[in-house]
């Protein structure tokens, strides 16, 4: 996205500016103020998560700069968002004396992985999205089964599919479910955090804000109508992938005057619900979280289809 948050004073702190943009690039926005609001939302929820988020984004940005990455890409924060998410995820889902070290190491690997995917995908014109974060996080989480220094937390305990049951009982608190949809992009729950993130999106552009709101509503409503677990809907876990997909397909990667963009954003948001259900099921025996894979898959399908259909 075009940068709308640069100010003259910010030019005196290019590394900090790029780091803040790296945080905002998680939601496909290049805006240092949006990044600052997101970091604030994370920090007021958990100081530890706020610290790891900033350090991981900074490590990714520094890796891109020292590694000779494209200067424009570094300044836009494109080396920061995958490392940031990786560092946060590993700190949340791993425990043990080495968890902090593994989280920061994962941030470095995610930055290198991002550079690799940028190079591989450049001829195709396809975006990298969050694939480096997803793959790096899954692989390092799986390594805990063979290493004794760290292990998965109780939240990621593997479950036997043959004994798993769908639980639809429970009340949905719709206002908090809506705001948690934004917060869960960064593993957060809490109305204040979700509100700050939505404010950050609207600051970057009203159209971005509208698509984020629409994607969130479509995601949680589709999940409810399809009979998803109320506990997961209430926690915002069916909204965050839909938000990212609506932003990506409807606005960020929209080419020219694509009249079908709003409709593909709607379909893409609904598709993330099906992908969440299927990916969660597939990963249940391994104790792995779905992360943003539903968003990455749904967005790649529609962007790739657009490029093929535009060929003569």
């Amino acid at each position: 996205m075009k940068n709308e948050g640069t100010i003259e004073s910010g030019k005196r702190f290019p590394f900090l500016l790029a780091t803040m943009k790296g945080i905002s690039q998680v939601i496909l926005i290049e805006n240092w103020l949006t990044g600052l609001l997101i970091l604030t939302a994370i920090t007021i929820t958990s100081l530890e998560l706020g610290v790891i988020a900033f350090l991981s984004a900074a490590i990714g940005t520094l890796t891109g700069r020292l590694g000779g990455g494209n200067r424009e890409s570094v300044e836009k924060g494109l080396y920061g968002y995958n490392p940031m998410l990786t560092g946060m995820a590993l700190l949340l889902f791993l425990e043990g004396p080495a968890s902090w070290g593994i989280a920061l190491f994962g941030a470095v690997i995610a930055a290198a992985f991002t550079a690799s995917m940028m190079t591989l995908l450049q001829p195709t014109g396809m975006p990298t999205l969050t694939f480096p974060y997803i793959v790096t996080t899954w692989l390092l989480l799986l390594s805990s089964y063979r290493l004794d220094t760290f292990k998965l937390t109780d939240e990621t305990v593997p479950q036997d599919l043959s004994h798993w049951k769908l639980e639809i009982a429970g009340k949905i608190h719709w206002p908090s479910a809506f705001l948690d949809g934004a917060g869960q992009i960064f593993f957060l729950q809490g109305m204040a955090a979700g509100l700050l993130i939505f404010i950050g999106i609207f600051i970057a552009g009203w159209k971005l804000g509208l698509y984020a709101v629409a994607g969130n509503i479509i995601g949680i409503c589709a999940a409810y109508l399809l009979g998803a677990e109320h506990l997961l809907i209430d926690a915002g876990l069916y909204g965050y992938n839909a938000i990212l997909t609506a932003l990506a397909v409807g606005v960020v990667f929209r080419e020219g005057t694509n009249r079908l963009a709003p409709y593909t954003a709607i379909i893409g948001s609904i598709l993330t619900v099906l992908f969440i259900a299927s990916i969660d099921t597939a990963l249940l025996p391994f104790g792995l979280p779905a992360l943003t894979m539903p968003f990455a898959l749904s967005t790649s399908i529609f962007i790739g289809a657009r490029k093929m259909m535009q060929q003569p």
Side-chain angles (χ1 to χ4, degrees):
M1 284 294 296
K2 181 181 178 182
N3 176 31
E4 300 171 8
T6 302
I7 57 175
E8 287 299 320
S9 60
K11 293 180 180 179
R12 291 178 291 180
F13 307 99
F15 180 77
L16 182 60
L17 200 66
T19 300
M20 288 298 107
K21 290 179 184 177
I23 295 173
S24 72
Q25 286 286 4
V26 171
I27 51 177
L28 307 158
I29 292 171
E30 182 198 341
N31 188 302
W32 69 268
L33 183 54
T34 299
L36 181 60
L37 285 171
I38 292 170
L39 184 61
T40 302
I42 298 170
T43 305
I44 64 173
T45 304
S46 167
L47 178 59
E48 186 179 41
L49 272 184
V51 171
I52 195 69
F54 177 78
L55 289 178
S56 298
I59 285 172
T61 302
L62 186 62
T63 301
R65 177 175 288 187
L66 297 180
N70 179 272
R71 181 176 178 180
E72 184 179 1
S73 296
V74 173
E75 291 177 351
K76 287 182 175 181
L78 294 177
Y79 284 92
Y81 71 97
N82 276 300
M84 173 193 165
L85 288 173
T86 302
M88 292 181 71
L90 292 174
L91 190 67
L92 279 172
F93 298 127
L94 289 177
E95 59 184 14
S99 58
W100 266 85
I102 293 297
L104 295 176
F105 172 74
V108 176
I109 300 304
F113 199 166
T114 299
S116 176
M117 283 202 68
M118 283 180 177
T119 303
L120 290 173
L121 294 176
Q122 189 174 16
T124 68
M126 292 290 291
T128 303
L129 302 177
T130 53
F131 283 112
Y133 146 61
I134 297 163
V135 175
T136 303
T137 300
W138 281 351
L139 289 178
L140 289 176
L141 290 179
L142 284 172
S143 70
S144 67
Y145 286 101
R146 297 284 182 170
L147 303 172
D148 190 49
T149 309
F150 54 92
K151 61 180 180 179
L152 295 173
T153 62
D154 292 338
E155 296 177 0
T156 50
V157 174
Q159 298 183 48
D160 187 350
L161 268 176
S162 62
H163 295 94
W164 186 83
K165 294 181 180 180
L166 180 67
E167 299 289 347
I168 305 180
K171 185 178 180 181
I172 300 173
H173 304 86
W174 294 102
S176 61
F178 174 79
L179 291 174
D180 284 343
Q184 286 290 359
I185 299 172
F186 304 93
F187 311 101
L188 307 178
Q189 272 190 277
M191 297 184 73
L195 184 60
L196 279 173
I197 292 168
F198 270 120
I199 290 172
I201 297 173
F202 273 100
I203 283 175
W206 66 267
K207 185 179 289 187
L208 290 165
L210 290 179
Y211 268 87
V213 168
N216 195 17
I217 292 173
I218 291 167
I220 60 179
C221 287
Y224 179 76
L225 293 173
L226 290 171
E229 293 173 274
H230 289 185
L231 182 64
L232 300 184
I233 297 174
D234 191 57
L237 292 172
Y238 276 99
Y240 74 99
N241 276 287
I243 291 173
L244 294 173
T245 301
L247 287 171
V249 177
V251 186
V252 179
F253 299 111
R254 180 174 180 168
E255 297 179 2
T257 56
N258 189 337
R259 296 178 181 178
L260 294 178
Y263 304 103
T264 54
I266 292 171
I267 298 171
S269 297
I270 296 172
L271 186 59
T272 62
V273 174
L274 300 174
F275 280 159
I276 291 169
S278 61
I279 293 170
D280 274 343
T281 302
L283 295 178
L284 205 61
F286 303 100
L288 296 178
L291 304 177
T292 55
M293 182 57 90
F295 146 70
L297 288 177
S298 183
T299 299
S300 296
I301 287 172
F302 285 99
I303 294 177
R306 282 180 187 173
K307 290 185 178 298
M308 186 277 291
M309 293 175 183
Q310 289 172 356
Q311 292 179 358

